[in-house]
Structure formats: C-alpha cells, structure tokens
Amino acid sequence: MNVLDHEKLHQKYFEELSRIPRASFKEERVSDYLEDFARTRGLDYKRDTIGNVVIYKPASAGYEDHGAVILQAHTDMVCEKNADCTHDFDLDPIDLYIENGILKARGTTLGADDGMGCAYMLALLDMDTPHPALECAFTVQEEVGLNGAFALKTEYFTAKKYVNLDFGGRGKGTCTTSAGGEMVGLKKPVEYEDCALPAYRLFITGLKGGHSGSCIILELGNSLKICGRILKEISGSSDLRIVSLDGGLKNNAIPRECEAVFASGAPREQIERAMESITAEIRNELKFQEPELSVTLETAACTRAMSEETSADLVDLMYLLPTGLRHRSLQIENLPVASENLASVRCKEDYVEFQYSLRAEKMSWRDQMEKELCILAGIYDMTVDVYSKFPSWEFNPDSALRNTLLKAYKEVKGTEMELLATHGGLECGVFCDMIPGLDVVTLGAETDGAHTPQEQMNLESFDQTFEVLKTFLEHL
C-alpha cells in the first residue's frame, strides 16, 4: 500500500526511490532504475562507470532558445539506524509513515537527503510543464566525498545555469555559499596479547547526533569523546587494557553511540566510582543539548587485549583528538565557518582506525586542521590518509539566476525568500570548477534531522517547493 499521494508525481517518485536500497557505493540499483526510466520514455541519457546518470529533456515549445539548465541531486543516502532497528539497508525498503503532515521513517534515516531532489527531477522529466532544455544530473557517492560530482565530465553539459536540489533545512531560503572540506583517516598499529583479566563493556547511547555540517554549531555530544573521557578517568585509578573500540557510522554524521570493551584487574566498585564521577560532570555540561545521554557498564568477556602501553596511547588519543566547532562567522549569525568531526573509530586485526570530516569556508583553515591532525598522528605513531577533498562554493553577488528564483518564490508563496549560507558540503563548488562562469542557485523543501534516524520532511513544503521549481523554470 502506498504511503504518499501518487497523483502527485514528485511524491510518487519519492516513494519509488525509497523502495530502492541506495547506500553510498551501492547505488547500482538506483542507477539501473534511472536508466530504465529514461529509456522507456525515449529520453537521451548518459551513464558513466561510477554510476552517475544524466538524463536530457528537450525544451518545451517556445523555450527552444531560452538556454539549457542543469538540475542536480544525489542518489545515495546516509544509512543510519537506531540500535534496536533490524532494517537491512542492502535489502529493505525504507519504512515510510506520515505523522501530522511530516514524512518520517521507522528507525532509520528517511533519505530525503537527497531523494527529495531526485524525485523533483523525475517528476519534471515525466510531466508536461513549461521549461527550457533540462540536463538532469543524478550523482552518486555524494555523502562520502562528492565522488560522483568529481567524476562528471564537462562535455556532459551545455548549460551555464545550474540548480542544486540538495538544500533542505527550513525550506524558506536559497543557499548562496557552502563549505569545502576533506576526509581524514588515522590508523594506529596495534598488537594483541593473551588476557585473563575481568572485562567490561562501556556503552554510550542516547545522543542526538546529526549532520556534521549543519549541526556542529549546536555543540552536541560526541559519543567517541565522551567514551574517551570516561576511559581516561577510569585509567587514572586502575590498570586498563583495550579489547575493542566501536563507535560512529558515517564521516558526515556526529557519532551518537560508542562501545568500548576493556579489561582491568581493579575492583569493579573502583571502576564504577570513576565512571560515575566523570559521567556526572559530562551530564552537567550537556544537560541542555543531550538530556537523554545514557552511559552503561556491563560485564563482558575477553581472551586477548592490547598491551597496557598501546591501550594508554588509545585512551590518550580519544581524549586528545579534537572535534567540534573551530570558527563561526562574524557576518552571518549561527554560521560555522570551520569545524572538525571525529566521526568514527573501528578496531581491525592489526590497527585501530579513526575517521574525520573537516569543513571550512577558507581552505587555509582546512589545511591548518589537517596539519594539526598530522602532528598528533606523528606523536602517536599513526599513519594519515587524506582523501575526498572538495572545494567551497563562494558567494556570487551578481547572480541573475538567483534573482529569477527570488521572484518565482514570492509569486508562489507570497513571501520573500531568505538568502542563506551552509556549513554543509554541496556539489556546487565542484560544478563551478568544472564549468567556468556557471550561475548557481539551490532549492529544497523543509527537512530536519539529516543523517540521523530522526530525519523528516514536511510534505506541504515538499509540494510547495515543487511549485516554486516549476514556476522558476517557466520564467527562465
């Protein structure tokens, strides 16, 4: 049974996309869907080796000389779920439901980021509405470093006008600039030894998490940092050997949960006292942002653990590794302009790996944060892997395309459109580098909770924004 209104094509296609598993690096099925969509409608298309699909639709009658426009959204979604959710992102459709006009998913991310933009493009490609020639780019691997956008070729496009459909938020504005950034991986070599000491499982849960760009300014709790502080407090009064570390899921999400298994010969009462003491301090610090923070300690079992020296290094690293807001704008209220997100930790057979996402308006800030991590990595005998660098998108004060969008928005909604900036990474910068002189705008419906199982989309805004998009294209 359908959850959304299939009489509205953008709602129909959002639900169809929600039935197709589309994790980053696993977009083959949605690329197949898009290729079949174009072929059955007689539309020209290109599909490249990475999985990007560009579908072309000729201009409507009377719009042949109006100049083509690129519409773009990404097909992949961040696959986050609650700990008690059994959803399989490789197999299962997203379980949609509507509550008071808000579209949500049971236990998982919704995929409005960016199923919303993909659905808009599919609807436009499948309906008769006035528009110039459309070059609809469905990119892959956006959530893991804009990889799909980087793989596009200039010759795929003729347009000098570009609409990015990956900007949600309040649904009342258009973005005018976005951050650049990069991903960083830090690997610490480790060796395991036989261990017969009592073992414990420390589990951090209940945090809000969120998009590491838009939510970093909220100073939310980071489960890895909380875990590191607690382990550091415990190790100060007792021996401690790390058995395993596991926390965070995605580079672009603030980690909500972290699990540490450790061994210690100290009395359990002593360990609990240390844990409860530092946890009380952390709760007091985060009482406004993270009222649901949960810290539990359980008995575990182990047959091997890392050496005391290696364990001490890892505890120190979790304590020292920086995360959070670095700089905020002095021109735009509540806009971060530089940040770092300690996103995840994983134990492998012979190393422990930490993953970071760095974001900055100015690339010099990004480079500074990278160098600081490299220095810290050198002190603790870690290797560094820097990848997925992407450029920022700078503000254009003379955008004719933006002026047209502002007029269309007011015509449809009767109010002025807000000019916004984001600390998120958009593909706009990549497109601007690829096509010199490109005029850029962004558009999206009202959404919230991106990259978390609390992700949601306002359906009235989803409908209204589509009307704005159609009116905007009619005026081009």
Side-chain angles (χ1 to χ4, degrees), residues 10 69-73 116-125 127 129-132 134 136 162-165 404-405 408-409 412-413 417 441-445 461-476:
H10 59 289
V69 59
I70 300 167
L71 303 179
Q72 183 266 324
M116 168 188 64
C118 293
Y120 283 159
M121 290 194 293
L122 289 168
L124 288 168
L125 289 167
M127 67 192 305
T129 186
H131 59 73
L134 302 179
C136 295
Y162 162 53
V163 184
N164 174 279
L165 296 169
T404 303
L405 178 60
Y409 183 92
V412 173
K413 305 191 86 170
M417 193 176 204
V441 295
T442 70
L443 187 64
S461 175
F462 187 40
D463 293 345
Q464 288 185 347
T465 302
F466 189 53
E467 293 304 312
V468 173
L469 178 59
K470 289 192 295 181
T471 302
F472 166 70
L473 293 174
E474 185 178 353
H475 290 342
L476 286 180

Side-chain angles (χ1 to χ4, degrees), residues 66 124 137 157 191 218 263 285 290 434 457:
H66 283 219
L124 288 168
F157 306 101
E191 293 182 356
L218 302 177
E285 294 165 4
E290 301 286 7
M434 178 174 58
M457 179 170 65

Side-chain angles (χ1 to χ4, degrees), residues 184 186 212 216 220-226 228-229 251 253-255 314-327 338-344 354-359 365-380 382:
V184 180
L186 307 174
S212 63
I216 204 76
L220 300 172
N222 181 304
S223 60
L224 275 64
K225 293 298 293 181
I226 292 172
R229 285 181 66 182
N251 280 20
I254 300 169
L314 284 170
V315 171
D316 284 350
L317 273 167
M318 292 186 71
Y319 194 86
L320 289 172
L321 284 171
T323 198
L325 180 68
R326 290 290 295 263
H327 299 288
S339 70
E340 49 208 330
N341 180 48
L342 175 57
S344 67
F354 296 91
Q355 285 288 332
Y356 262 94
S357 61
L358 307 181
R359 301 176 187 269
W365 284 336
R366 181 196 66 184
D367 295 342
Q368 178 191 350
M369 292 186 290
E370 176 193 317
K371 289 176 183 176
E372 290 171 357
L373 290 178
C374 289
I375 292 170
L376 192 58
I379 295 171
Y380 284 93
M382 304 178 81

Side-chain angles (χ1 to χ4, degrees), residues 93-167:
I94 301 298
D95 190 0
L96 304 176
Y97 71 99
I98 300 172
E99 183 176 77
N100 299 321
I102 305 298
L103 184 64
K104 302 180 180 181
R106 290 184 175 87
T108 72
T109 38
L110 173 64
D113 178 11
D114 189 23
M116 168 188 64
C118 293
Y120 283 159
M121 290 194 293
L122 289 168
L124 288 168
L125 289 167
D126 201 27
M127 67 192 305
D128 185 16
T129 186
H131 59 73
L134 302 179
E135 301 173 347
C136 295
F138 299 82
T139 54
V140 298
Q141 299 177 26
E142 187 271 351
E143 299 289 6
V144 289
L146 316 185
N147 297 343
F150 278 114
L152 292 169
K153 298 184 185 302
T154 307
E155 55 264 32
Y156 293 171
F157 306 101
T158 64
K160 290 291 188 178
K161 293 173 282 190
Y162 162 53
V163 184
N164 174 279
L165 296 169
D166 186 25
F167 185 71

